[in-house]
Every structure is written in C-alpha cells, then in structure tokens.
Amino acid sequence: MTDDEMTLRSRMVATCRKMNETGINQGTAGNLSVRHGEGFLITPSSLPYDVMQPEDLVMMFWDGTYEGRRPSSEWRFHRDILKARADVNVVLHCHSHYATSVACHHRTIPAFHYMVGVMGGTTLRCARYATFGTQALSDAAIEALEDRMACLLGQHGQISLGTSLEGALWMAVEVETLARMYVQALALGEPPVLSDEEMGRVISQMKRMSYGLGPEEEGSNDVARPRAR
Ligand code: 13P
C-alpha cells in the first residue's frame, strides 16, 4: 500500500469518527466512500467507527469486485454515484435524526430557507423508498441527486456528496441542520417558500463566492477585500 493510500485511509477513519462526534451518525448505520485508483475505498459493513482501523477500509472496483473485508451493504449507490458524477469524489450516507424524520414522511424540503440552495437547487429532494442495499435504491438515489449535492432517502436517511471528505461532512451537517429547522418551522404551520427567481439569485451568489467551501477557496463577496499591507 502506498503512503498516499495509507494517508487517505486514515483521513477516512477520522471523517467517520467525526460523523459520530457531530451527532449525524451512530452505531453501525452510515457509510463513506472516496474515489481512489481504479475504483473507490469504502467502509466495511457493520463495523462501528470507534473500532475501525485504516486497514479495515475496503478497496472496490467499478465491476463490483473488492479486496479486503465485506464492503458496506450500500456499495451499489456509492459505486453508481461515483461512476455517474465526475464532479463528486466522496459519498457519505447516514441516518441523521431530523433528515430521516422528514424522509419518513417522503417530504421534499422546499426553499423555506435560502441554504437549501447550497445543495444545488430550489429543493432538497427525497428519493422513493427501496430496500437497503438494492439496485432499486441506487437508481432512486441517482434520480433524486440530479443536479444536487445531497438528497433524502425515503424512510431511510440522507446522502451527501463532496469533492473532498471535509466538503461531504460539511454538507451532511448542513442537510441535518436544514431538516431540523424545517421540522421546527413546521410547528408554526407550513412556512412560506422563496421564489425560484430569488433562489436563482442565491445559487449564483453562492457559486460566485464559493459559499460554504471554506475560506481558502477562490471567490469574492463583492464588498469586502483583503487589506493591502
Ligand atoms: P453498512 O454497515 O452495511 O454500511 O450498512 C449501514 C446502512 O446505513 C445501510 O443503509
């Protein structure tokens, strides 16, 4: 194993532990994959993250073959998303409480808050229910993720995507936060929704500012600029 692969495996283990620390994951729910070499690295099935070691991660190839432990039962949607989406390097799945609560009602989250735009569109879609680990679930997820960096999975959980491990974790926490705000806003009745026109402005502003991608990313916020020394 190369040093680069060992570093990537260690970063994946650290991200999995952060999934638990942030409260978006628990027990043996959840799985994580990262594009690598001729395929991708993925978490093994049913191994709690607090005992998981870098060497437990499984190398999988596009044809569904693997080396090492038994891969996550959800390897199909990890493979299919990474294959279909050249803009994505990381797939994160978890059963975070509020996102899953909304998904249990098969609700798509509308643009009740402008941050819905950070997932790439005017809605955070909910994929139709299909049995875990099946091709039908993978097909439903691919559909719900069209032009999006996240989706809910009906009566199951959420999927968040990223170009990096940090980005995918950030997105998953955002999805959970938005779902929580949506559930709480619903306590006062169905909240109003921002217009498609306004969401168009929000999304182009987010793209221009590389919003949410971290302070090191390229982008401008129109008003503030670094002070000349
Ligand atoms: P694995 O432990 O097989 O990854 O399954 C967890 C899960 O969340 C299934 O949807």
Side-chain angles (χ1 to χ4, degrees):
M1 193 181 300
T2 63
D3 286 355
D4 280 358
E5 181 171 333
M6 202 54 205
T7 306
L8 180 57
R9 284 171 176 258
S10 301
R11 290 181 57 227
M12 282 179 77
V13 171
T15 304
C16 287
R17 302 227 169 109
K18 278 190 198 150
M19 285 166 67
N20 287 359
E21 282 161 29
T22 54
I24 60 167
N25 196 65
Q26 53 83 42
T28 58
N31 26 72
L32 178 73
S33 66
V34 181
R35 189 185 295 281
H36 178 68
E38 300 299 303
F40 55 99
L41 286 164
I42 187 165
T43 47
S45 188
S46 309
L47 187 66
Y49 293 159
D50 50 348
V51 297
M52 189 173 72
Q53 297 301 316
E55 49 278 18
D56 293 323
L57 292 163
V58 185
M59 181 64 209
M60 278 205 91
F61 303 91
W62 301 120
D63 63 0
T65 57
Y66 67 93
E67 287 170 357
R69 297 181 75 113
R70 190 162 51 94
S72 166
S73 52
E74 301 294 12
W75 64 269
R76 281 187 183 79
F77 71 61
H78 287 267
R79 177 195 61 182
D80 294 348
I81 293 167
L82 290 170
K83 244 177 129 177
R85 296 278 300 263
D87 58 324
V88 167
N89 293 320
V90 179
V91 179
L92 187 162
H93 165 61
C94 62
H95 302 172
S96 58
H97 292 177
Y98 282 89
T100 306
S101 302
V102 175
C104 285
H105 283 279
H106 287 256
R107 285 223 195 184
T108 278
I109 300 187
F112 76 105
H113 188 286
Y114 81 93
M115 280 298 275
V116 168
V118 94
M119 282 104 212
T122 57
T123 54
L124 175 61
R125 298 190 195 100
C126 183
R128 64 183 173 277
Y129 177 80
T131 310
F132 80 96
T134 59
Q135 189 60 47
L137 179 60
S138 177
D139 295 345
I142 293 273
E143 248 178 63
L145 284 166
E146 190 181 353
D147 301 323
R148 299 286 190 278
M149 291 303 276
C151 72
L152 304 178
L153 296 179
Q155 286 160 303
H156 186 153
Q158 62 140 305
I159 297 177
S160 286
L161 311 179
T163 53
S164 65
L165 284 163
E166 295 77 11
L169 180 66
W170 179 85
M171 188 64 75
V173 173
E174 282 307 319
V175 167
E176 177 62 2
T177 305
L178 268 176
R180 183 177 185 164
M181 291 191 289
Y182 187 50
V183 167
Q184 290 175 342
L186 283 170
L188 302 178
E190 190 70 51
V193 167
L194 294 166
S195 66
D196 286 354
E197 193 193 359
E198 174 53 16
M199 285 305 286
R201 267 196 294 273
V202 165
I203 291 163
S204 53
Q205 178 117 317
M206 283 172 166
K207 285 198 178 127
R208 201 171 67 246
M209 293 181 180
S210 302
Y211 195 72
L213 298 180
E216 310 311 328
E217 287 293 323
E218 286 291 310
S220 88
N221 68 0
D222 295 339
V223 183
R225 58 191 193 283
R227 191 167 201 179
R229 287 174 184 263

